[in-house]
């Protein structure tokens, strides 16, 4: 195990003078807090002893019924029995990995991949083999070639880990045309799909494309979460899995936590039943669209030397830096200039990615996003000059004279 690059940054990001384009905290200010306060009080008054009690290891039937309705938006027709409630989808990632992975087993994952999933794979000593993605998401030909090569080497992948919608960190979405092809390739190679979909409902202008699970429910373990379409506070997420896997997930979850939050499930269920939650999701979409647009225009205005992905939803864009600039080495100088991002290296298993950075637009206001990118542009332009003068090895050269500040010094 090792400290995530993002965790170290949280301390910095919380300082008011820093514009953080680093964290992935959802912007939940528009949630109906008065309504939630009344709802919570009512549940506690009318059902307090139940709300504060242990519950079923699989999660409560009333919550699982609501989740089945939510998954219909992804084209998934599941049964409440298929669903296991978890402590955020992060716990589901952990449970699936615990069940399938022995040290040295292969997980195939997009390059780049969500840092929190890579952390779990690392904790279970998986061997992660990356497959590239492009503006249309995971590349089917590359996946097919990788699975074929692994087979030839006598190494079978246990599962494919993929985030098809509004990818973290790449910002891209798997195209409609590629979806059935990815499923077909995994069927042919007998490789399970771990489909992680926390952002699916947060398309700026559109409803989600059909989930991979909608093409083949038995081939796919689907992970969902209320963290982004509501808020992460109750820590309610879920896995929808084929029968045999589901049984194991429940056993593993009971061993880890006994039962998921009863209180959180009761409040989330009541919210989904009583409140016009989809209108609230549309409100979030509008806010993220405005922030995403602010990010796109700021990049065009201040950092035209870089390339970036154009997200159609979610929280992130993935920026490719000019030749010779190392995002990880540049980060302390960015923080000195009061702007933070996450170096691309966090999103690869093998230390690649220094030519990339993830910029998130979910939390700061559009004005702050513009200001953050403006500050970042000064840092990038200064780096470009250094590369011009000293070549790509200039970071070593600089380290001799300048000690980079640690996050808590800034
Ligand atoms: C791709 C992805 N998967 C899973 C998670 C974990 O979310 P949670 O545990 O809050 O459901 C996140 C959180 O940022 C994420 O971006």
């Amino acid at each position: 195990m090792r400290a995530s690059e993002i965790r170290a940054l949280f301390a910095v990001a919380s300082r008011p003078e820093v514009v953080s384009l680093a964290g992935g905290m959802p912007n939940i200010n528009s949630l109906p807090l008065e309504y939630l306060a009344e709802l919570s009080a009512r549940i506690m008054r009318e059902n307090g002893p139940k709300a504060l009690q242990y519950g079923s290891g699989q999660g409560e039937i009333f919550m699982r019924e609501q989740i089945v309705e939510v998954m219909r938006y992804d084209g998934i027709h599941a049964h409440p029995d298929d669903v296991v409630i978890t402590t955020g989808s992060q716990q589901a990632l952990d449970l699936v990995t615990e069940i399938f992975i022995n040290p040295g087993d292969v997980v195939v994952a997009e390059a780049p991949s969500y840092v929190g999933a890579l952390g779990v794979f690392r904790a279970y000593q998986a061997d992660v083999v990356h497959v590239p993605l492009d503006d249309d998401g995971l590349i089917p030909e590359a996946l097919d070639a990788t699975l074929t090569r692994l087979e030839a080497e006598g190494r079978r992948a246990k599962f494919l880990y993929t985030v098809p919608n509004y990818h973290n960190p790449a910002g891209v979405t798997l195209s409609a045309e590629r979806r059935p092809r990815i499923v077909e390739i995994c069927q042919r190679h007998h490789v399970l799909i771990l489909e992680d979909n926390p952002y699916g409902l947060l398309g700026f202008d559109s409803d989600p494309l059909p989930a991979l699970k909608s093409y083949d429910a038995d081939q796919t373990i689907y992970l969902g979460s209320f963290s982004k379409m509501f808020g992460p506070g109750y820590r309610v997420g879920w896995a929808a899995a084929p029968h045999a896997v589901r049984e194991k997930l429940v056993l593993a979850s009971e061993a880890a936590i006994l039962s998921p939050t009863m209180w959180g499930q009761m409040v989330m269920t009541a919210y989904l039943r009583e409140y016009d939650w989809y209108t609230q999701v549309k409100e979030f979409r509008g806010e993220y669209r405005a922030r995403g647009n602010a990010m796109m225009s700021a990049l065009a205005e201040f950092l035209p030397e870089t390339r970036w992905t154009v997200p159609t939803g979610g929280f992130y864009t993935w920026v490719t830096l000019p030749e010779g600039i190392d995002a990880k080495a540049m980060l302390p100088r960015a923080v000195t200039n009061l702007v933070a991002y996450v170096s691309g290296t966090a999103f690869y298993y093998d230390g690649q990615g220094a030519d990339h950075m993830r910029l998130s637009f979910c939390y700061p206001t559009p004005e702050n996003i513009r200001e953050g990118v403006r500050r970042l542009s000064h840092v990038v332009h200064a780096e470009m000059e250094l590369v011009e003068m000293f070549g790509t090895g200039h970071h070593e050269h600089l380290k001799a004279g300048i000690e980079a500040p640690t996050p808590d010094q800034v």
Side-chain angles (χ1 to χ4, degrees):
M1 293 189 202
R2 66 183 200 209
S4 130
E5 297 191 25
I6 291 182
R7 201 179 64 184
L9 275 167
F10 259 37
V12 188
S14 58
R15 294 178 177 243
E17 64 276 23
V18 175
V19 175
S20 176
L21 307 174
M25 273 200 310
N27 187 334
I28 52 177
N29 291 326
S30 67
L31 279 174
L33 299 183
E34 278 306 316
Y35 162 77
L36 288 168
E38 277 164 33
L39 180 69
S40 307
R42 172 154 47 92
I43 291 173
M44 192 56 81
R45 224 175 10 246
E46 293 173 4
N47 247 326
K50 180 174 179 187
L52 299 174
Q53 194 48 277
Y54 293 115
S56 145
Q58 186 174 357
E60 301 308 305
I61 179 70
F62 50 78
M63 181 82 267
R64 291 186 278 119
E65 280 170 355
Q66 291 303 311
I67 284 170
V68 165
E69 296 304 316
V70 172
M71 288 194 295
R72 282 185 197 277
Y73 287 90
D74 293 311
I76 297 172
H77 299 281
H79 189 276
D81 286 353
D82 301 333
V83 177
V84 181
I85 309 295
T86 54
T87 304
S89 50
Q90 189 67 29
Q91 193 211 355
L93 279 170
D94 183 76
L95 296 175
V96 171
T97 311
E98 180 187 358
I99 290 169
F100 281 97
I101 298 300
N102 293 316
D105 281 351
V106 174
V107 171
V108 170
E110 289 149 337
S113 273
Y114 165 52
V115 59
L118 295 181
V120 172
F121 301 152
R122 195 170 281 120
Y124 289 96
Q125 298 173 48
D127 182 5
V128 171
V129 175
H130 281 301
V131 177
L133 42 69
D134 63 16
D135 287 347
D136 289 328
L138 184 62
I139 301 172
E141 294 76 14
L143 175 65
D144 203 358
T146 301
L147 295 179
T148 306
R149 175 174 60 81
L150 287 169
E151 275 165 13
E153 293 168 0
R155 298 155 77 211
R156 228 192 53 152
K158 286 286 181 78
F159 56 79
L160 162 70
Y161 172 70
T162 178
V163 179
N165 297 318
Y166 321 123
H167 191 272
N168 178 4
V172 298
T173 291
L174 185 64
S175 69
E177 180 265 330
R178 283 187 181 176
R179 291 180 184 234
R181 290 171 62 203
I182 297 289
V183 175
E184 183 278 322
I185 291 165
C186 289
Q187 286 168 333
R188 185 153 38 81
H189 290 277
H190 305 288
V191 170
L192 267 177
I193 300 170
L194 180 54
E195 176 176 28
D196 188 8
N197 188 29
Y199 303 99
L201 287 173
L202 296 180
F204 298 153
D205 298 298
S206 50
D207 287 332
L209 291 168
L212 297 175
K213 189 168 181 71
S214 73
Y215 293 93
D216 186 341
D218 285 339
Q219 196 70 35
T220 313
I221 303 170
Y222 172 98
L223 308 186
S225 174
F226 293 115
S227 292
K228 323 288 176 176
M229 57 168 276
F230 175 78
Y234 292 118
R235 304 302 295 127
V236 181
W238 69 91
H243 181 78
V245 178
R246 189 173 70 237
E247 307 264 279
K248 297 278 189 279
L249 282 174
V250 175
L251 291 177
S253 187
E254 283 172 346
I257 62 163
L258 299 182
S259 62
T261 163
M262 178 64 86
W263 169 241
Q265 292 180 81
M266 286 175 79
V267 179
M268 277 313 306
T269 300
Y271 172 77
L272 293 170
R273 279 186 187 154
E274 292 178 14
Y275 198 76
D276 185 0
W277 64 269
Y278 204 72
T279 299
Q280 176 62 44
V281 163
K282 287 186 176 158
E283 168 95 25
F284 285 143
R285 284 178 177 177
E287 288 172 17
Y288 293 129
R289 180 173 50 231
R291 287 166 165 76
N293 288 342
M295 176 65 85
M296 295 296 105
S297 27
L299 286 168
E301 183 178 349
F302 296 116
L303 275 171
E305 307 82 359
T306 64
R307 280 187 293 118
W308 56 90
T309 57
V310 180
T312 53
F315 291 5
Y316 310 105
T317 181
W318 184 240
V319 175
T320 310
L321 289 161
E323 177 89 30
I325 297 187
D326 181 322
K328 195 170 178 180
M330 183 175 75
L331 185 56
R333 283 189 278 287
V335 173
T336 310
N337 277 272
L338 303 180
V339 58
Y341 60 85
V342 184
S343 159
T345 45
F347 306 99
Y348 293 86
Y349 212 57
D350 51 12
Q352 307 172 52
D355 53 341
H356 286 93
M357 55 188 175
R358 187 191 75 177
L359 299 185
S360 52
F361 50 78
C362 43
Y363 202 71
T365 61
E367 298 72 41
N368 280 346
I369 289 170
R370 186 168 184 278
E371 174 59 16
V373 175
R374 195 186 66 78
R375 292 177 191 176
L376 191 55
S377 72
H378 292 318
V379 183
V380 172
H381 293 152
E383 288 289 303
M384 286 168 71
E385 278 175 29
L386 286 171
V387 170
E388 187 128 309
M389 285 194 288
F390 300 110
T392 50
H394 74 276
H395 296 294
E396 298 312 314
H397 170 89
L398 281 181
K399 268 183 213 151
I402 305 169
E403 200 53 52
T406 60
D408 53 0
Q409 288 173 326
V410 179

